[in-house]
């Protein structure tokens, strides 16, 4: 398709797990060895961390990175001070981007860690929290624009509910819809023209997240007339938490032209939460790349490693091993997916399987040019023998295995 492997594998390193991750888990505090931290939450430390981050990304050879506003700079005593802190670190990031050529895949606002967001951000029951969230997104958009970010992401954070007895869903969804419209308007005003991406995720941190999966997000975007400005950022571990596969989420979104970018990681069959492990499974990376290729590949999006190393093995060198393992798994997955596509193996299954739509009544159905009356007349006249059998199904998993073995 005239694209190189690099065009398809726009790898991106996340600031939060990689440079801010402490190795903590629900049962204990951090264990990570982080020589770049001086133990303070100062702007100076943040600027130094930014330089170390770029040294890491540069050595890794990844073309992109992604951050939340609060990953890169400490919060101050007031919004104004917080914004000044951000500006100071952004100046360093900008220098480092220019020095290395590394680019910002996307920026986003962390509207879930600070206790003020306990009941959500745009869907909070407190209007002042919604206002604060608005101010935060305004600044995060400015910073993303300043750094040439190619997309801007909204993961729902705490946009959801714990309890229906005290929640007005209709109002909260309306607030979220108008919040996104304000973001679209402001992006236009400052000339930020990258796509906005919603990142679907169910179950955490609220019991029910409004953006639970691709289908829920797409429905929301249509209902609030936002589809011109938004696509999705699809994360593997979120797909599985929603009871789907990554392949399902990508295919469902792709069929509606809604794939924007991916957060690449993997869940663990034995663990029930967003464990954010680095992807190493060729089946998974092949299936992911197969779906991305099917829908034309990534354009502004990337393969963003929203992943962390496990608690028991967190030294700086592990960050290299983990990313390199993930990159290799995706490169191999891309080769396998490309081989499957070159053979048109799956397309052939699909065209054979739907052959009855190529002519006659099938064509009419496909083109929406028939009616229930006509379908009944057709059936009565033809007889239902063909309707009583739907043909042999191939063992497709076996087909997939053939390519995994070959590549
Ligand atoms: C959490 C999400 C989160 C987002 C990030 C950017 O489970 O994966 O890390 O990717 O906030 O939107
Ligand atoms: Ni993510
Ligand atoms: Ni996640
Ligand atoms: Ni995650």
């Amino acid at each position: 398709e005239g694209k190189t492997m690099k065009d398809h594998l726009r790898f991106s390193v996340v600031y939060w797990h990689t440079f801010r991750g402490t190795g903590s888990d629900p049962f204990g505090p951090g264990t990570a060895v982080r020589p770049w931290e001086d133990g303070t939450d100062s702007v100076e430390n943040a600027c130094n961390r930014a330089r170390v981050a770029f040294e890491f990304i540069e050595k890794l050879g990844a073309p992109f990175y992604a951050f939340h506003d609060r990953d890169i700079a400490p919060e101050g005593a007031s919004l104004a001070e917080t914004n000044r802190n951000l500006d100071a670190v952004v100046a360093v990031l900008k220098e480092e981007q220019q020095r290395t050529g590394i680019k910002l895949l996307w920026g986003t606002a962390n509207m879930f860690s600070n206790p003020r967001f306990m009941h959500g951000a745009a869907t909070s029951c407190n209007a002042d929290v919604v206002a604060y969230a608005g101010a935060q997104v305004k600044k995060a958009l400015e910073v993303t624009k300043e750094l040439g970010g190619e997309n801007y992401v909204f993961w729902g954070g705490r946009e959801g509910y714990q309890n229906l007895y005290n929640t007005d869903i209709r109002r909260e969804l309306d607030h979220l819809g108008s919040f996104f419209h304000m973001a679209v308007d402001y992006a236009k005003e400052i000339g930020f023209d990258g796509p906005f991406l919603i990142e679907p995720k169910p179950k955490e941190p609220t019991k029910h997240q409004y953006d639970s999966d691709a289908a829920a997000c797409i429905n929301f975007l249509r209902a609030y007339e936002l589809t011109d400005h938004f696509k999705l950022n699809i994360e593997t571990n979120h797909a599985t938490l929603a009871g789907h596969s990554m392949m399902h989420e990508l295919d469902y979104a792709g069929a509606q032209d809604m794939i924007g970018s991916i957060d690449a990681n993997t869940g663990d069959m034995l663990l029930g939460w967003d464990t954010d492990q680095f992807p190493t499974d060729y089946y998974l990376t092949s299936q992911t790349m197969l779906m991305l290729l099917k829908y034309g590949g990534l354009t502004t999006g990337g393969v963003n490693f929203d992943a962390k190393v496990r608690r028991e093995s967190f030294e700086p060198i592990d960050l290299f091993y983990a990313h390199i393992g993930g990159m290799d798994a995706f490169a191999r997955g891309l080769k396998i997916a490309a081989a499957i596509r070159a053979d048109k193996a799956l397309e052939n299954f699909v065209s054979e399987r739907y052959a009855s739509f190529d002519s006659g009544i099938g064509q009419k159905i496909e083109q929406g040019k028939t009616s229930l009356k006509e379908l009944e007349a057709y059936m009565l006249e033809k007889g239902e023998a063909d309707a009583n059998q739907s043909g042999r199904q191939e063992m497709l998993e076996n087909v997939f295995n053939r390519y995994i073995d070959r590549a």
Side-chain angles (χ1 to χ4, degrees), residues 344-354 394 396 399:
K344 298 209 181 313
L346 303 186
E347 278 104 315
N348 290 341
F349 283 126
V350 170
S351 55
E352 271 173 40
R353 189 155 176 262
Y354 296 88
E394 294 287 340
L396 293 185
V399 175

Side-chain angles (χ1 to χ4, degrees), residues 16 106 199 233 235 238 263 265 306:
W16 53 101
W106 47 258
E199 185 176 321
N233 181 35
E235 177 165 323
H238 299 181
D263 269 11
N265 58 23
D306 188 359

